[in-house]
Amino acid sequence: MAFKKLLCVLFTALSLRAVQGAVVEKRATCSNGVAVSNESCCAWFTVLEDIQENLFNGGQCGAEAHESIRLVFHDAIAISPALEAEGQFGGGGADGSIMIFDEIETNFEANVGLDEIVKLQKPFVQRHGVTPGDFIAFAGAVAMSNCPGAPQMNFFTGRAPATQAAPDGLVPEPFDSVDKIIARVDDAGQFDELELVWMLSAHSVAASNDIDPTIEGLPFDSTPGIFDSQFFVETQLVGTGFPGSSGNQGEVESPLRGEMRLQSDFSIARDSRTACEWQSFVNNQSKLTSDFQFIFLALTQLGQNPDVMTDCSAVIPLSRAIPGNRPFSFFPAGKTVADVQQACASTPFPTLTTLPGPETSVARIPPPPGA
């Protein structure tokens, strides 16, 4: 609990300073003219330029960005104070163990497909001489900034390299029960069921990767290149038998052709403990961005002491605005409120417009090279 309280104080301070126009006291100026909190942050601009060009294809919110964001969660959540209390090793949290011990951890069932992004990221770690834990957090923050609508992510350095692999079984899986997933995130960082929903905001910019090899690259919502609340709208729609209803473990019927819906997302969207928080993101961009900004910072500091870390958030780019004049939240073409499986008993579903045109079909996202 002390860790979460410390993070809350830190996040409140960061938010207040942002409103006042001075996010962090700047104590150094890099060669590109950007003021940062510490001179050590300047080296990350070189890393930024390299990964934007050579990992994220010129700063795109594509498969490489999606998997880099996923990697942050899978590395960080692998920590268990409960195991430590029993005298066992409980993992190191956001320490880069999934990259250092990739031959072990990427073979865990929950980490299927992450060997590809780890293989892509490793050369950047070696080339720039940074720790895997810092790089995973940095690449995830930059990846998110490439997605229009995302908040400016916070990035802190100071993670020592992991010394051993995290235990198997600490990363939630799509077929896990809501009870099991809530218990897991509570153990990892004393996160509650509402903060679990905040974590799943990352699925706004996500797609399947080896969940079902026959239907790779299926997005989890119809706007996978934009950080918006369509994921929270579309998970509440009635499934219609499209891919995702093939009977594979962890999948349920999808509401749109070409879209995949995870069993865990479906269940959390409808569970009485989480349904209203899930619905609260619909048509509420400011809540979506602020809550995800907080939870991302919390995840990337699991297992770390924030007091001794260096704030290099000034290196992370600002994301672009959501393009076009469409509503922030909407019903896909062919869908209306009649297609919503209302799960929040206390609040009506927000009033949304339906996009014109033929019934929505979602395009696949090409996998990273070598996938």
Side-chain angles (χ1 to χ4, degrees), residues 188-225:
Q190 295 188 331
F191 299 118
D192 61 25
E193 63 273 12
L194 304 186
E195 290 162 320
L196 167 62
V197 177
W198 302 359
M199 294 177 197
L200 292 172
S201 299
H203 284 183
S204 172
V205 284
S208 62
N209 184 4
D210 288 342
I211 298 170
D212 181 345
T214 67
I215 46 175
E216 275 299 280
L218 298 190
F220 296 160
D221 75 359
S222 60
T223 58

Side-chain angles (χ1 to χ4, degrees), residues 6-327:
L6 179 59
L7 280 173
C8 286
V9 170
L10 173 62
F11 183 74
T12 300
L14 286 171
S15 300
L16 178 60
R17 290 172 187 166
V19 170
Q20 294 172 339
V23 176
V24 177
E25 182 182 355
K26 305 301 193 292
R27 297 177 180 173
T29 301
C30 302
S31 60
N32 59 3
V34 177
V36 293
S37 66
N38 187 287
E39 187 177 359
S40 65
C41 299
C42 294
W44 287 96
F45 282 108
T46 303
V47 186
L48 173 66
E49 182 178 359
D50 192 3
I51 66 173
Q52 286 287 59
E53 182 62 29
N54 299 307
L55 178 61
F56 297 135
N57 304 308
Q60 298 300 307
C61 184
E64 296 82 2
H66 297 172
E67 288 299 287
S68 293
I69 297 166
R70 180 185 175 213
L71 187 63
V72 170
F73 177 79
H74 285 244
D75 183 47
I77 204 68
I79 183 170
S80 174
L83 286 179
E84 294 284 351
E86 296 172 358
Q88 304 177 56
F89 177 62
D95 62 356
S97 66
I98 197 169
M99 181 177 291
I100 297 171
F101 301 98
D102 54 319
E103 292 186 3
I104 298 174
E105 290 194 36
T106 61
N107 284 313
F108 297 162
E109 184 175 0
N111 294 334
V112 62
L114 284 173
D115 58 316
E116 299 152 4
I117 193 62
V118 168
K119 182 179 179 180
L120 288 175
Q121 288 190 5
K122 266 191 168 183
F124 296 95
V125 173
Q126 297 163 354
R127 182 154 63 241
H128 295 284
V130 297
T131 67
D134 279 353
F135 184 83
I136 288 172
F138 182 72
V142 174
M144 184 57 71
S145 77
N146 289 338
C147 302
Q152 184 178 25
M153 309 308 297
N154 294 301
F155 168 61
F156 285 65
T157 64
R159 300 166 186 81
T163 57
Q164 55 184 311
D168 195 2
L170 297 183
V171 180
E173 300 199 53
F175 50 79
D176 287 343
S177 68
V178 179
D179 286 345
K180 184 175 180 180
I181 296 173
I182 289 176
R184 175 78 278 276
V185 299
D186 176 53
D187 175 36
Q190 295 188 331
F191 299 118
D192 61 25
E193 63 273 12
L194 304 186
E195 290 162 320
L196 167 62
V197 177
W198 302 359
M199 294 177 197
L200 292 172
S201 299
H203 284 183
S204 172
V205 284
S208 62
N209 184 4
D210 288 342
I211 298 170
D212 181 345
T214 67
I215 46 175
E216 275 299 280
L218 298 190
F220 296 160
D221 75 359
S222 60
T223 58
I226 299 173
F227 186 74
D228 61 10
S229 68
Q230 277 311 107
F231 167 71
F232 291 99
V233 175
E234 291 164 23
T235 45
Q236 294 183 77
L237 299 178
V238 178
T240 50
F242 292 128
S245 60
S246 58
N248 288 303
Q249 192 176 37
E251 302 170 36
V252 294
E253 288 188 353
S254 302
L256 303 177
R257 188 181 302 276
E259 183 175 294
M260 176 178 280
R261 183 156 57 180
L262 300 182
Q263 176 183 316
S264 52
D265 290 340
F266 176 93
S267 299
I268 294 169
R270 289 158 176 77
D271 189 275
S272 60
R273 293 163 291 184
T274 49
C276 289
E277 186 67 12
W278 194 278
Q279 183 178 290
S280 73
F281 288 121
V282 176
N283 232 10
N284 195 339
Q285 173 80 352
S286 61
K287 175 173 166 49
L288 179 66
T289 55
S290 65
D291 288 351
F292 186 74
Q293 185 185 48
F294 168 78
I295 207 66
F296 182 90
L297 175 61
L299 285 166
T300 58
Q301 294 189 341
L302 280 177
Q304 307 296 321
N305 179 0
D307 281 340
V308 300
M309 302 184 81
T310 301
D311 185 355
C312 291
S313 301
V315 182
I316 307 300
L318 290 170
S319 70
R320 301 182 299 278
I322 295 176
N325 296 317
R326 67 161 177 79

